[in-house]
């Protein structure tokens, strides 16, 4: 990570850090989930997209999936990708979708469904992502 980027972003990111706690009546009375955002740092790219690593916080943290989240319209992504809005790659880039799943157990599947729903419906978190995207692009000189 570029030191300048780290020092400028971290003071903003830490107060906005999200931790999701899921309560279940099972052998896991409380589950903590961490969300780690990864943004594009290519100067000439304006993809308006983020990858979010979903980390199940246990004794040793476990990466269970990576969620792809693009907040613009399918029309925007089709134009950006130079393809049709019916193209599968556009559908996978738009909105929250599971990009990669590393764990196939029932708990991980349930967490993935919860996170995709959370991303798709939580305006506060969507705005948080857009603020961080803008901050990254401002630092690398895109905007």
């Amino acid at each position: 990570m570029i030191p300048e980027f780290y020092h400028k972003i971290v003071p903003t990111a830490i107060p906005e850090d999200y931790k999701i706690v899921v309560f279940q009546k099972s052998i896991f009375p409380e589950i903590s989930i961490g969300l780690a955002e990864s943004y594009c740092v290519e100067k000439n790219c304006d993809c308006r997209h983020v990858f979010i690593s979903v980390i199940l916080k246990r004794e040793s943290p476990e990466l269970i999936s990576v969620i792809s989240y693009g907040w613009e319209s399918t029309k925007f992504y089709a134009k950006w990708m130079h393809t049709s809005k019916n193209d599968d790659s556009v559908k996978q880039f738009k909105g929250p979708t599971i990009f990669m799943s590393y764990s196939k157990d029932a708990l991980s599947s349930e967490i993935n469904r919860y996170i995709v729903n959370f991303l798709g419906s939580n305006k506060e978190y969507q705005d948080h992502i857009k603020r961080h995207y803008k901050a990254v692009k401002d630092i690398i000189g895109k905007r």
Side-chain angles (χ1 to χ4, degrees), residues 26-56:
S26 69
I27 58 172
F28 300 105
E30 181 181 309
I31 299 167
S32 293
I33 303 164
L35 304 177
E37 303 157 11
S38 299
Y39 296 91
C40 174
V41 294
E42 290 187 30
K43 190 172 185 171
N44 295 321
C45 180
D46 190 20
C47 57
R48 302 179 197 177
H49 182 266
V50 62
F51 286 107
I52 302 168
S53 296
V54 180
I55 302 156
L56 182 55

mmCIF file of all heavy atoms in Angstrom, residues 26-56:
data_model
loop_
_atom_site.group_PDB
_atom_site.id
_atom_site.type_symbol
_atom_site.label_atom_id
_atom_site.label_comp_id
_atom_site.label_asym_id
_atom_site.label_seq_id
_atom_site.Cartn_x
_atom_site.Cartn_y
_atom_site.Cartn_z
ATOM 1 N N SER A 26 -27.668 -21.285 18.087
ATOM 2 C CA SER A 26 -26.984 -22.482 17.617
ATOM 3 C C SER A 26 -25.692 -22.607 18.407
ATOM 4 O O SER A 26 -25.531 -21.994 19.443
ATOM 5 C CB SER A 26 -26.699 -22.375 16.119
ATOM 6 O OG SER A 26 -25.719 -21.377 15.889
ATOM 7 N N ILE A 27 -24.748 -23.367 17.873
ATOM 8 C CA ILE A 27 -23.472 -23.498 18.560
ATOM 9 C C ILE A 27 -22.645 -22.228 18.456
ATOM 10 O O ILE A 27 -21.655 -22.074 19.143
ATOM 11 C CB ILE A 27 -22.664 -24.713 18.035
ATOM 12 C CG1 ILE A 27 -22.415 -24.589 16.533
ATOM 13 C CG2 ILE A 27 -23.371 -26.011 18.369
ATOM 14 C CD1 ILE A 27 -21.470 -25.635 15.992
ATOM 15 N N PHE A 28 -23.042 -21.287 17.587
ATOM 16 C CA PHE A 28 -22.370 -19.996 17.467
ATOM 17 C C PHE A 28 -23.289 -18.911 18.039
ATOM 18 O O PHE A 28 -24.089 -18.345 17.323
ATOM 19 C CB PHE A 28 -22.054 -19.669 16.005
ATOM 20 C CG PHE A 28 -21.170 -20.669 15.345
ATOM 21 C CD1 PHE A 28 -21.684 -21.575 14.445
ATOM 22 C CD2 PHE A 28 -19.823 -20.713 15.626
ATOM 23 C CE1 PHE A 28 -20.872 -22.504 13.826
ATOM 24 C CE2 PHE A 28 -19.006 -21.625 15.006
ATOM 25 C CZ PHE A 28 -19.527 -22.535 14.111
ATOM 26 N N PRO A 29 -23.199 -18.619 19.333
ATOM 27 C CA PRO A 29 -24.114 -17.638 19.920
ATOM 28 C C PRO A 29 -23.910 -16.229 19.358
ATOM 29 O O PRO A 29 -24.837 -15.454 19.271
ATOM 30 C CB PRO A 29 -23.784 -17.669 21.404
ATOM 31 C CG PRO A 29 -22.422 -18.270 21.493
ATOM 32 C CD PRO A 29 -22.264 -19.156 20.304
ATOM 33 N N GLU A 30 -22.698 -15.884 18.953
ATOM 34 C CA GLU A 30 -22.435 -14.582 18.357
ATOM 35 C C GLU A 30 -21.354 -14.745 17.291
ATOM 36 O O GLU A 30 -20.344 -15.397 17.523
ATOM 37 C CB GLU A 30 -21.949 -13.593 19.410
ATOM 38 C CG GLU A 30 -21.688 -12.218 18.864
ATOM 39 C CD GLU A 30 -21.188 -11.249 19.926
ATOM 40 O OE1 GLU A 30 -21.812 -11.144 20.990
ATOM 41 O OE2 GLU A 30 -20.158 -10.628 19.667
ATOM 42 N N ILE A 31 -21.595 -14.163 16.136
ATOM 43 C CA ILE A 31 -20.642 -14.257 15.033
ATOM 44 C C ILE A 31 -20.297 -12.844 14.598
ATOM 45 O O ILE A 31 -21.183 -12.038 14.340
ATOM 46 C CB ILE A 31 -21.241 -15.029 13.851
ATOM 47 C CG1 ILE A 31 -21.600 -16.443 14.272
ATOM 48 C CG2 ILE A 31 -20.291 -15.045 12.673
ATOM 49 C CD1 ILE A 31 -22.459 -17.164 13.277
ATOM 50 N N SER A 32 -19.017 -12.547 14.508
ATOM 51 C CA SER A 32 -18.582 -11.256 13.997
ATOM 52 C C SER A 32 -18.082 -11.419 12.570
ATOM 53 O O SER A 32 -17.364 -12.365 12.258
ATOM 54 C CB SER A 32 -17.449 -10.688 14.855
ATOM 55 O OG SER A 32 -17.924 -10.360 16.134
ATOM 56 N N ILE A 33 -18.483 -10.475 11.738
ATOM 57 C CA ILE A 33 -18.101 -10.503 10.335
ATOM 58 C C ILE A 33 -17.397 -9.191 10.020
ATOM 59 O O ILE A 33 -17.920 -8.116 10.305
ATOM 60 C CB ILE A 33 -19.349 -10.639 9.432
ATOM 61 C CG1 ILE A 33 -20.138 -11.884 9.810
ATOM 62 C CG2 ILE A 33 -18.957 -10.654 7.963
ATOM 63 C CD1 ILE A 33 -21.535 -11.900 9.263
ATOM 64 N N GLY A 34 -16.229 -9.288 9.420
ATOM 65 C CA GLY A 34 -15.516 -8.093 8.983
ATOM 66 C C GLY A 34 -15.677 -7.913 7.489
ATOM 67 O O GLY A 34 -15.750 -8.882 6.738
ATOM 68 N N LEU A 35 -15.757 -6.665 7.061
ATOM 69 C CA LEU A 35 -15.856 -6.338 5.645
ATOM 70 C C LEU A 35 -14.642 -5.488 5.278
ATOM 71 O O LEU A 35 -14.451 -4.414 5.828
ATOM 72 C CB LEU A 35 -17.139 -5.558 5.351
ATOM 73 C CG LEU A 35 -18.452 -6.229 5.766
ATOM 74 C CD1 LEU A 35 -19.629 -5.310 5.475
ATOM 75 C CD2 LEU A 35 -18.618 -7.561 5.060
ATOM 76 N N ALA A 36 -13.819 -5.986 4.355
ATOM 77 C CA ALA A 36 -12.623 -5.263 3.929
ATOM 78 C C ALA A 36 -12.800 -4.851 2.470
ATOM 79 O O ALA A 36 -12.952 -5.704 1.593
ATOM 80 C CB ALA A 36 -11.387 -6.130 4.101
ATOM 81 N N GLU A 37 -12.780 -3.547 2.224
ATOM 82 C CA GLU A 37 -13.033 -3.004 0.896
ATOM 83 C C GLU A 37 -11.741 -2.890 0.089
ATOM 84 O O GLU A 37 -10.716 -2.498 0.622
ATOM 85 C CB GLU A 37 -13.669 -1.621 1.025
ATOM 86 C CG GLU A 37 -14.951 -1.631 1.842
ATOM 87 C CD GLU A 37 -15.289 -0.279 2.442
ATOM 88 O OE1 GLU A 37 -14.660 0.731 2.077
ATOM 89 O OE2 GLU A 37 -16.187 -0.238 3.293
ATOM 90 N N SER A 38 -11.823 -3.205 -1.200
ATOM 91 C CA SER A 38 -10.692 -3.065 -2.127
ATOM 92 C C SER A 38 -11.155 -2.254 -3.329
ATOM 93 O O SER A 38 -12.096 -2.652 -4.024
ATOM 94 C CB SER A 38 -10.200 -4.433 -2.600
ATOM 95 O OG SER A 38 -9.761 -5.200 -1.514
ATOM 96 N N TYR A 39 -10.475 -1.134 -3.547
ATOM 97 C CA TYR A 39 -10.842 -0.215 -4.626
ATOM 98 C C TYR A 39 -9.797 -0.217 -5.729
ATOM 99 O O TYR A 39 -8.628 -0.457 -5.485
ATOM 100 C CB TYR A 39 -10.986 1.210 -4.070
ATOM 101 C CG TYR A 39 -12.098 1.330 -3.074
ATOM 102 C CD1 TYR A 39 -11.856 1.147 -1.722
ATOM 103 C CD2 TYR A 39 -13.390 1.589 -3.477
ATOM 104 C CE1 TYR A 39 -12.888 1.231 -0.800
ATOM 105 C CE2 TYR A 39 -14.417 1.690 -2.556
ATOM 106 C CZ TYR A 39 -14.167 1.507 -1.220
ATOM 107 O OH TYR A 39 -15.188 1.584 -0.316
ATOM 108 N N CYS A 40 -10.227 0.111 -6.921
ATOM 109 C CA CYS A 40 -9.351 0.226 -8.079
ATOM 110 C C CYS A 40 -8.458 1.458 -7.905
ATOM 111 O O CYS A 40 -8.944 2.536 -7.575
ATOM 112 C CB CYS A 40 -10.201 0.371 -9.338
ATOM 113 S SG CYS A 40 -9.242 0.696 -10.820
ATOM 114 N N VAL A 41 -7.162 1.288 -8.134
ATOM 115 C CA VAL A 41 -6.230 2.410 -8.015
ATOM 116 C C VAL A 41 -5.609 2.785 -9.367
ATOM 117 O O VAL A 41 -4.604 3.472 -9.415
ATOM 118 C CB VAL A 41 -5.122 2.136 -6.964
ATOM 119 C CG1 VAL A 41 -5.719 2.056 -5.572
ATOM 120 C CG2 VAL A 41 -4.344 0.878 -7.301
ATOM 121 N N GLU A 42 -6.239 2.351 -10.451
ATOM 122 C CA GLU A 42 -5.766 2.751 -11.771
ATOM 123 C C GLU A 42 -6.236 4.176 -12.034
ATOM 124 O O GLU A 42 -7.426 4.485 -11.930
ATOM 125 C CB GLU A 42 -6.304 1.812 -12.846
ATOM 126 C CG GLU A 42 -5.673 0.435 -12.779
ATOM 127 C CD GLU A 42 -6.082 -0.442 -13.943
ATOM 128 O OE1 GLU A 42 -6.340 0.108 -15.038
ATOM 129 O OE2 GLU A 42 -6.140 -1.653 -13.749
ATOM 130 N N LYS A 43 -5.289 5.026 -12.358
ATOM 131 C CA LYS A 43 -5.561 6.459 -12.508
ATOM 132 C C LYS A 43 -6.631 6.771 -13.545
ATOM 133 O O LYS A 43 -7.463 7.641 -13.348
ATOM 134 C CB LYS A 43 -4.269 7.198 -12.830
ATOM 135 C CG LYS A 43 -4.396 8.686 -12.773
ATOM 136 C CD LYS A 43 -3.065 9.370 -12.910
ATOM 137 C CE LYS A 43 -3.236 10.864 -12.715
ATOM 138 N NZ LYS A 43 -1.966 11.549 -12.617
ATOM 139 N N ASN A 44 -6.637 6.079 -14.660
ATOM 140 C CA ASN A 44 -7.573 6.393 -15.745
ATOM 141 C C ASN A 44 -8.834 5.548 -15.729
ATOM 142 O O ASN A 44 -9.557 5.503 -16.717
ATOM 143 C CB ASN A 44 -6.865 6.263 -17.094
ATOM 144 C CG ASN A 44 -5.764 7.291 -17.235
ATOM 145 O OD1 ASN A 44 -5.931 8.427 -16.813
ATOM 146 N ND2 ASN A 44 -4.643 6.898 -17.791
ATOM 147 N N CYS A 45 -9.093 4.898 -14.639
ATOM 148 C CA CYS A 45 -10.275 4.045 -14.527
ATOM 149 C C CYS A 45 -11.317 4.713 -13.622
ATOM 150 O O CYS A 45 -10.990 5.210 -12.553
ATOM 151 C CB CYS A 45 -9.880 2.686 -13.940
ATOM 152 S SG CYS A 45 -11.297 1.571 -13.776
ATOM 153 N N ASP A 46 -12.550 4.709 -14.071
ATOM 154 C CA ASP A 46 -13.650 5.210 -13.241
ATOM 155 C C ASP A 46 -14.755 4.158 -13.222
ATOM 156 O O ASP A 46 -15.869 4.375 -13.673
ATOM 157 C CB ASP A 46 -14.164 6.544 -13.783
ATOM 158 C CG ASP A 46 -15.130 7.221 -12.821
ATOM 159 O OD1 ASP A 46 -15.118 6.892 -11.618
ATOM 160 O OD2 ASP A 46 -15.904 8.081 -13.274
ATOM 161 N N CYS A 47 -14.407 2.975 -12.692
ATOM 162 C CA CYS A 47 -15.306 1.825 -12.737
ATOM 163 C C CYS A 47 -16.472 1.912 -11.749
ATOM 164 O O CYS A 47 -17.443 1.195 -11.904
ATOM 165 C CB CYS A 47 -14.523 0.537 -12.487
ATOM 166 S SG CYS A 47 -13.627 0.514 -10.923
ATOM 167 N N ARG A 48 -16.326 2.742 -10.714
ATOM 168 C CA ARG A 48 -17.390 2.896 -9.699
ATOM 169 C C ARG A 48 -17.809 1.527 -9.167
ATOM 170 O O ARG A 48 -18.963 1.126 -9.203
ATOM 171 C CB ARG A 48 -18.562 3.667 -10.277
ATOM 172 C CG ARG A 48 -18.113 5.041 -10.776
ATOM 173 C CD ARG A 48 -19.213 5.828 -11.385
ATOM 174 N NE ARG A 48 -18.646 6.914 -12.184
ATOM 175 C CZ ARG A 48 -19.356 7.748 -12.893
ATOM 176 N NH1 ARG A 48 -20.662 7.652 -12.908
ATOM 177 N NH2 ARG A 48 -18.771 8.692 -13.590
ATOM 178 N N HIS A 49 -16.822 0.860 -8.636
ATOM 179 C CA HIS A 49 -16.966 -0.534 -8.230
ATOM 180 C C HIS A 49 -16.018 -0.829 -7.075
ATOM 181 O O HIS A 49 -14.982 -0.204 -6.940
ATOM 182 C CB HIS A 49 -16.614 -1.410 -9.439
ATOM 183 C CG HIS A 49 -16.761 -2.858 -9.194
ATOM 184 N ND1 HIS A 49 -15.712 -3.642 -8.790
ATOM 185 C CD2 HIS A 49 -17.832 -3.672 -9.286
ATOM 186 C CE1 HIS A 49 -16.142 -4.879 -8.646
ATOM 187 N NE2 HIS A 49 -17.418 -4.929 -8.945
ATOM 188 N N VAL A 50 -16.389 -1.785 -6.252
ATOM 189 C CA VAL A 50 -15.550 -2.202 -5.129
ATOM 190 C C VAL A 50 -15.666 -3.714 -4.956
ATOM 191 O O VAL A 50 -16.701 -4.309 -5.271
ATOM 192 C CB VAL A 50 -15.964 -1.468 -3.822
ATOM 193 C CG1 VAL A 50 -17.391 -1.797 -3.428
ATOM 194 C CG2 VAL A 50 -15.027 -1.777 -2.676
ATOM 195 N N PHE A 51 -14.585 -4.330 -4.501
ATOM 196 C CA PHE A 51 -14.634 -5.724 -4.064
ATOM 197 C C PHE A 51 -14.594 -5.696 -2.545
ATOM 198 O O PHE A 51 -13.778 -4.987 -1.941
ATOM 199 C CB PHE A 51 -13.444 -6.531 -4.600
ATOM 200 C CG PHE A 51 -13.557 -6.849 -6.055
ATOM 201 C CD1 PHE A 51 -12.765 -6.206 -6.988
ATOM 202 C CD2 PHE A 51 -14.465 -7.802 -6.495
ATOM 203 C CE1 PHE A 51 -12.870 -6.498 -8.341
ATOM 204 C CE2 PHE A 51 -14.576 -8.109 -7.853
ATOM 205 C CZ PHE A 51 -13.779 -7.450 -8.770
ATOM 206 N N ILE A 52 -15.460 -6.470 -1.923
ATOM 207 C CA ILE A 52 -15.546 -6.506 -0.460
ATOM 208 C C ILE A 52 -15.262 -7.922 0.011
ATOM 209 O O ILE A 52 -16.011 -8.851 -0.313
ATOM 210 C CB ILE A 52 -16.926 -6.030 0.028
ATOM 211 C CG1 ILE A 52 -17.185 -4.609 -0.480
ATOM 212 C CG2 ILE A 52 -17.018 -6.106 1.544
ATOM 213 C CD1 ILE A 52 -18.598 -4.129 -0.318
ATOM 214 N N SER A 53 -14.187 -8.064 0.765
ATOM 215 C CA SER A 53 -13.850 -9.367 1.351
ATOM 216 C C SER A 53 -14.685 -9.547 2.609
ATOM 217 O O SER A 53 -14.746 -8.657 3.456
ATOM 218 C CB SER A 53 -12.364 -9.425 1.702
ATOM 219 O OG SER A 53 -11.592 -9.316 0.537
ATOM 220 N N VAL A 54 -15.329 -10.693 2.709
ATOM 221 C CA VAL A 54 -16.155 -11.015 3.874
ATOM 222 C C VAL A 54 -15.351 -11.968 4.746
ATOM 223 O O VAL A 54 -14.990 -13.059 4.310
ATOM 224 C CB VAL A 54 -17.500 -11.652 3.447
ATOM 225 C CG1 VAL A 54 -18.345 -11.988 4.668
ATOM 226 C CG2 VAL A 54 -18.250 -10.727 2.491
ATOM 227 N N ILE A 55 -15.064 -11.520 5.956
ATOM 228 C CA ILE A 55 -14.187 -12.273 6.849
ATOM 229 C C ILE A 55 -14.970 -12.679 8.091
ATOM 230 O O ILE A 55 -15.520 -11.835 8.792
ATOM 231 C CB ILE A 55 -12.966 -11.414 7.244
ATOM 232 C CG1 ILE A 55 -12.223 -10.994 5.975
ATOM 233 C CG2 ILE A 55 -12.072 -12.170 8.217
ATOM 234 C CD1 ILE A 55 -11.405 -9.753 6.123
ATOM 235 N N LEU A 56 -15.030 -13.968 8.315
ATOM 236 C CA LEU A 56 -15.667 -14.501 9.510
ATOM 237 C C LEU A 56 -14.626 -14.467 10.616
ATOM 238 O O LEU A 56 -13.560 -15.072 10.501
ATOM 239 C CB LEU A 56 -16.153 -15.932 9.263
ATOM 240 C CG LEU A 56 -16.889 -16.632 10.393
ATOM 241 C CD1 LEU A 56 -18.079 -15.819 10.885
ATOM 242 C CD2 LEU A 56 -17.337 -18.007 9.943
#
